[in-house]
Amino acid sequence: MIEVGFGCRLPAGSGPVRGHNQPNRSRWHWLRKRGNVTFVRPAEEIDDRKERFYLAIASVLRWARLFGVFPLSNITATDPDAFRFHCFSPFVVLCALSVTGGMLMTVAALVRLGRVGINAMNIAVPIFYGTCTVLNLVFVRLARGWRSFMVYWAEREEMFFARPYGAINLQRKVIGLAVCIMVSALVEHVLYVINQAYNVYQESLTCQYNITNPLKLYGSLTFRSVFQSVPYHHLIMLYLLYMTVSLTFVWTFTDLFLMLIATGIACRLGQLNKRIDSNLQTCSEAFWHEMRTHFVGLMELVERTNRFVGPLVIVSCANDMYFLCLQTLNTLEDKPFDINEWYFRYSFSFLILRTTVKLWFVADVREQSLRTHQLVQRVRSEHFTDELEILRICSGGCSVALSGMGFFSITRRIFLTMAGSILTYELVLMRFHRSSKGVGEDLPCSYTD
């Protein structure tokens, strides 16, 4: 197969047939095959607004700012050079409220632990608030460097908007993935609120509280560590609710963000692999030079991405692994009410699913780069050229994968590694749980209106 200039590939020795009955080439809007002919949509018909990564992910980031995450101004600009980080923008204010609240909640939770004692369960509260606050600060760092990173990204993916590459509608992939993850997270949070409200209701019945303000009762018992130190006020209550939603959102959004970053890179590698797969019989030096140039460009993009999101990868994986251990330990605990059991099942299932999907998407970058090497290995020796040999060495000798600041690379093997680590830490956590039984619990019926 060889590539021809008008947007399709024909078998070697064939040429374009012109006539009145010839179909219009522009009607092939998607990459598809018929027999031994591969049609590709011409480059001039590609809607790059649906293909550029910074425009696709902007559809998600614009809503994340409402929760105090990724406080970047002008995020929907068509030119990445127009992105700006303004220190006094409304989104930075929301971020500051979330970070400040997270720090205060972490301190309040630690003060409470110093008063009632530490066990395997209540130590998760300061860890959750502290980790989510750190994640929020990491996103502030990413927002500050997002403009230069996206300018670099746009330069590396520009080559994929020229024929014979076809359209993949990256925006649809990004939005579809974001909707699935965030809707599931919304359901999980709604179930949490219902579960917590039911627990408060049952405690009020058991302790026979004289309830004059149900909202105060809910806030005082939900944010017990705060309102044991400061008097209750509705404004404080609303602020704590927003802060909790914001920090819960950033936990889920971190995994989603890594999925989207990996999707943007893996899709480009997939486009490259499709083109190589359709031209395995060519011995054109120019073609393999172009393929090698494109692959090296993606290698450089992965390297730049690792420097940019490396800290986020480490914190995200550590956070998910800890809460997987904690929720596994929770399976041994008896749930007093059916709604507690159903909420726990959904929450644990969502955590497992989200972590698995994140690792699968991020590991796909490595899988696609290995696919490139496998395709190059299939080229017959009589078609080998110097450029092809360089591409073979690059694709096989370099590790093209997202990593956590170089400490570990995320490949499919990480599933077995994490499973072994979770088993080890679970045994330690179970021993700590048994030794701290009966410690760290508040006095029953301690609420006063």
Side-chain angles (χ1 to χ4, degrees), residues 4 25-26 57 76 113 146 183 238 268 321 363 388 392 418 424:
V4 293
R25 301 295 182 189
S26 63
I57 199 172
T76 57
L113 293 186
W146 189 250
V183 168
L238 293 176
R268 300 307 175 200
M321 192 165 70
L388 178 58
R392 186 186 67 82
M418 286 194 68
T424 302

Side-chain angles (χ1 to χ4, degrees), residues 136-154:
N136 218 336
L137 292 174
V138 172
F139 275 116
V140 173
R141 169 186 169 271
L142 297 184
R144 291 175 62 88
W146 189 250
R147 182 181 65 85
S148 60
F149 181 53
M150 284 297 101
V151 168
Y152 184 87
W153 188 303

Side-chain angles (χ1 to χ4, degrees), residues 200-210 443-447:
V200 170
Y201 172 71
Q202 289 296 330
E203 182 175 342
S204 68
L205 293 180
T206 303
C207 299
Q208 298 181 351
Y209 291 140
N210 183 21
L443 295 175
C445 302
S446 58
Y447 170 76

